[in-house]
Amino acid sequence: MGLYVRELLRTFRNPFVLLITIVQPFMWLAFFGSSFANAPPSVIAVFAQGHSYIAFLLPGTLSTSMLSVGMFGSMSTIQDKRFGFMKRILITPTSKGVIFLSKALGGATRGLVQFPIMIVAATVFGVSFHLSPLDWAAWVCGLFFLAIGFSSLFLAITASSTDWQTPGVVSNFITMPLMFASTALFNGQYFPAWMTAISSVNPITFSALLGRAFVLQTSVPWINLGFLGLFAAVMLVVGWMVSARWLKVD
Amino acid sequence: MTDSAIEVRGVTKRYGSVAKGVLALDNVNLSIPSGTVFGLLGPNGAGKTTLIKVLTGISDITSGDATVAGFDVRTQSLKVRARIGWVAAEVILDDDFTARENLWLQAKLQALKDWEPRADLLLRYFSLYDRANDKVGKFSTGMRKKLEIALALLHQPLVIFMDEPTIGLDVSTRRMLWDIVGGVHREFGVTVLLTTHYIEEADALCDRIAIIDQGRVIAQGTPSELKGRVKADIVLLETTEPLDSQRIAAIAGVQEVRAQGNEWTIRVSSAEAVLPLLLGSLRTESVRRISIDKPSLETVFLDLTGRRLGSDEPMRDIRKFYAQMRQARK
């Protein structure tokens, strides 16, 4: 609990980090979302399943931003190793598994801060929301599972590393294929078969489709929430086991 | 708790493979009595920090056994970590947190419930109470160091490890920390294991000292016992030309002569008595440097290793380097 609170306090006491956290998703919607502003309504209707590309894009952008959550979580771990703080933690009865869990939960919570900001930003760009409290809760829950899954994945990959560059390299390697081989940004019906295959098992797709169903008021694929929960659970177990074995400062 | 706060039996630590790796600790044996300040004295890279790492559970032991506060560091690591404190060479605090928040976090890490009265006591003891709610990023080095020691004492440990606690500090802050280490030991009744490469620090603070070099403990005892080992003065002589070591050894009062190039380490019964005879046997213009060391921990280390503490590089190699540079310029 102490380490989890530390993660949050460190983030939100840094005005620059807070500013970037708020501005980055807003800019995504503003620049990328506006790229189809003058497209004919017929194109938008087919491509974005409605009248607004921003409404289509919002759940996808929220989903892909959970990828960066993982990178920040593992960068925070490496920072703690480099500045000796990890040693201070390890010379207490705190287990490596608990350290991992604090980092993963801290990263996921930090990622979810973007949610209300994005909703406000989308409203500013003309998107209207007609969700029940259960819908809101399910959407946030799906994003939380996704964030936990990616945080755990990044922490597992970088558990034994002390190199600043590792999270960035891993992020570049993972982010692009996962972002584009999903339906986060584009409608998947025009994908080639091999990209469709990747997209169909990509957690970002499951999260984007879930959120999109809430925003566009289409049939909700509740099974996606189960898949995202499974993804989070598996990654948590893997991350816990890898950290218990490989998290080290020496 | 047993009479020994720390027992180290045949501990070896190797980084990497047997063929290409580094042997950081080589069959180390130590017994550190409870309630003492024990010093590990040695040059950089001697293995002092590695020994602290294996005793605190940060590093695995390659072979051998060790217990801290009565618990095996390999099989009862959590019990060991609940009973030890640690003060790092570099100050490690959360600069964005206040002093009290740093203590709160330490209490959480140690799973302490009723920590605040103890934290207040420590803040008062270290004269930090009035600054308890200031961010530690604004603290002076001395205040940060004091807060770090307070963190190490919060959970009432039985043993505190201090890894080069005064390295990089100015003289007055170092003196202040010496007072604090002595005070902590007396007031809180903890065993302190301290590493240092400052001779005067080990001499001033420690009840017992182990001298460690190249991963091995080469001597241990009280400071006076160690100094008593060298019942001689050491004359260090540097000349511009080779000398006849047998001729020097024949001078009355000379006990031992060791040479490294044109550098001579000569053990004598009394420097005052031998020096006139020694200089009389040399061409005075060939003497580049001469110095005398009276019995001290420095002479103990010199006597044991043939090197001064802190002189990792033999002087002759530096001169060789400059000679090569001059040659290259020609």
Side-chain angles (χ1 to χ4, degrees):
Chain A
M1 184 64 184
L3 283 176
Y4 170 67
V5 174
R6 172 178 177 259
E7 285 295 308
L8 297 187
L9 287 178
R10 284 176 72 206
T11 302
F12 298 121
R13 281 187 181 173
N14 186 330
F16 187 68
V17 172
L18 200 56
L19 184 71
I20 294 295
T21 306
I22 293 168
V23 169
Q24 187 207 18
F26 194 87
M27 286 173 66
W28 254 97
L29 281 188
F31 288 97
F32 198 71
S34 301
S35 56
F36 288 87
N38 293 325
S42 58
V43 172
I44 295 292
V46 172
F47 193 74
Q49 297 169 305
H51 66 279
S52 162
Y53 182 58
I54 289 181
F56 176 89
L57 182 66
L58 174 71
T61 304
L62 277 166
S63 302
T64 51
S65 66
M66 296 307 144
L67 274 167
S68 61
V69 165
M71 185 180 75
F72 284 123
S74 60
M75 280 175 73
S76 157
T77 309
I78 285 174
Q79 187 184 20
D80 281 347
K81 289 181 189 175
R82 302 276 294 211
F83 291 138
F85 205 87
M86 188 61 78
K87 220 183 278 180
R88 174 174 294 295
I89 299 169
L90 290 175
I91 303 179
T92 68
T94 308
S95 73
K96 290 178 181 176
V98 169
I99 297 169
F100 155 76
L101 205 57
S102 308
K103 293 283 180 190
L105 281 172
T109 309
R110 186 166 46 193
L112 286 182
V113 170
Q114 292 183 350
F115 185 80
I117 299 162
M118 291 284 273
I119 297 300
V120 170
T123 307
V124 170
F125 284 107
V127 178
S128 56
F129 297 95
H130 308 283
L131 281 75
S132 69
L134 178 67
D135 293 345
W136 284 114
W139 191 6
V140 171
C141 199
L143 286 169
F144 180 71
F145 287 152
L146 190 67
I148 283 282
F150 282 130
S151 283
S152 304
L153 178 66
F154 269 85
L155 287 167
I157 291 172
T158 59
S160 65
S161 175
T162 54
D163 188 343
W164 288 114
Q165 301 176 79
T166 309
V169 171
V170 172
S171 173
N172 285 340
F173 183 71
I174 290 177
T175 301
M176 200 179 69
L178 282 182
M179 185 164 69
F180 289 110
S182 77
T183 60
L185 309 179
F186 308 112
N187 193 336
Q189 68 190 91
Y190 304 116
F191 283 0
W194 62 271
M195 268 180 71
T196 304
I198 298 172
S199 176
S200 65
V201 292
N202 186 342
I204 292 177
T205 296
F206 284 79
S207 172
L209 290 177
L210 181 71
R212 196 166 289 144
F214 292 131
V215 177
L216 302 180
Q217 294 288 289
T218 57
S219 172
V220 177
W222 289 102
I223 188 75
N224 287 17
L225 191 59
F227 176 83
L228 290 167
L230 184 67
F231 171 64
V234 169
M235 285 297 131
L236 271 176
V237 171
V238 169
W240 181 288
M241 289 169 67
V242 169
S243 297
R245 176 71 183 85
W246 296 107
L247 180 65
K248 57 183 180 181
V249 291
D250 191 22
Chain B
M1 192 174 166
T2 61
D3 287 344
S4 285
I6 299 172
E7 282 284 341
V8 181
R9 291 179 292 272
V11 165
T12 295
K13 172 67 185 176
R14 182 183 295 281
Y15 291 101
S17 66
V18 174
K20 293 181 180 174
V22 175
L23 190 61
L25 294 174
D26 184 5
N27 192 29
V28 172
N29 291 284
L30 284 176
S31 180
I32 300 176
S34 294
T36 56
V37 179
F38 192 95
L40 279 176
L41 178 67
N44 292 330
K48 307 185 297 291
T49 300
T50 303
L51 184 57
I52 285 195
K53 282 183 182 173
V54 300
L55 292 176
T56 54
I58 290 286
S59 286
D60 297 331
I61 294 173
T62 306
S63 64
D65 292 304
T67 60
V68 174
F71 296 99
D72 192 304
V73 298
R74 295 209 282 198
T75 58
Q76 297 170 300
S77 180
L78 284 180
K79 286 181 177 173
V80 169
R81 285 188 264 155
R83 289 162 178 82
I84 60 173
W86 176 64
V87 178
E90 67 279 24
V91 180
I92 301 168
L93 298 167
D94 254 318
D95 283 359
D96 291 334
F97 283 21
T98 66
R100 191 174 290 283
E101 285 170 341
N102 271 281
L103 284 158
W104 163 82
L105 181 60
Q106 187 69 13
K108 290 289 172 191
L109 292 171
Q110 289 286 355
L112 301 180
K113 288 193 176 107
D114 193 21
W115 61 276
E116 283 179 277
R118 172 84 172 169
D120 285 342
L121 185 147
L122 289 166
L123 286 167
R124 284 201 170 90
Y125 180 80
F126 289 110
S127 308
L128 294 171
Y129 191 78
D130 294 340
R131 303 287 304 274
N133 296 316
D134 290 351
K135 286 188 179 176
V136 300
K138 295 175 184 169
F139 282 15
S140 68
T141 307
M143 290 167 73
R144 291 162 65 80
K145 205 79 195 179
K146 286 198 279 189
L147 179 59
E148 200 180 32
I149 297 173
L151 295 183
L153 288 167
L154 185 63
H155 58 294
Q156 305 189 38
L158 298 173
V159 180
I160 285 195
F161 294 90
M162 294 189 175
D163 191 8
E164 309 259 16
T166 62
I167 196 165
L169 299 182
D170 61 61
V171 175
S172 62
T173 312
R174 184 179 297 171
R175 294 276 173 193
M176 179 197 77
L177 270 173
W178 287 8
D179 291 341
I180 286 174
V181 172
V184 161
H185 170 239
R186 280 192 308 275
E187 298 288 328
F188 298 94
V190 291
T191 304
V192 178
L193 174 58
L194 176 102
T195 73
T196 184
H197 63 256
Y198 296 124
I199 297 271
E200 67 277 19
E201 185 163 287
D203 212 356
L205 290 177
C206 300
D207 301 312
R208 292 182 66 79
I209 293 168
I211 296 177
I212 186 164
D213 186 42
Q214 296 176 352
R216 286 177 292 116
V217 172
I218 52 176
Q220 56 179 308
T222 64
S224 52
E225 279 171 1
L226 288 171
K227 283 182 268 188
R229 289 171 60 115
V230 186
K231 293 184 178 125
D233 297 344
I234 305 280
V235 176
L236 290 169
L237 182 67
E238 190 186 345
T239 57
T240 55
E241 61 190 30
L243 300 178
D244 182 353
S245 58
Q246 287 185 345
R247 205 168 115 202
I248 295 173
I251 295 171
V254 170
Q255 296 174 352
E256 188 185 353
V257 179
R258 282 191 237 159
Q260 279 189 329
N262 287 348
E263 281 192 351
W264 302 79
T265 306
I266 307 164
R267 276 169 67 116
V268 299
S269 55
S270 162
E272 290 79 1
V274 172
L275 211 52
L277 301 173
L278 178 65
L279 289 173
S281 72
L282 303 172
R283 285 196 318 113
T284 49
E285 58 270 30
S286 71
V287 177
R288 180 177 279 169
R289 182 169 59 89
I290 191 161
S291 64
I292 298 163
D293 283 300
K294 291 288 183 184
S296 67
L297 288 175
E298 177 77 55
T299 52
V300 175
F301 189 81
L302 192 63
D303 189 53
L304 288 165
T305 66
R307 304 193 317 276
R308 279 190 183 279
L309 199 61
S311 64
D312 298 333
E313 192 73 18
M315 181 67 87
R316 65 179 187 284
D317 288 348
I318 294 170
R319 283 207 304 276
K320 188 177 171 186
F321 169 74
Y322 283 126
Q324 285 171 348
M325 292 287 283
R326 278 196 299 274
Q327 193 68 33
R329 276 203 293 271
K330 286 175 190 171

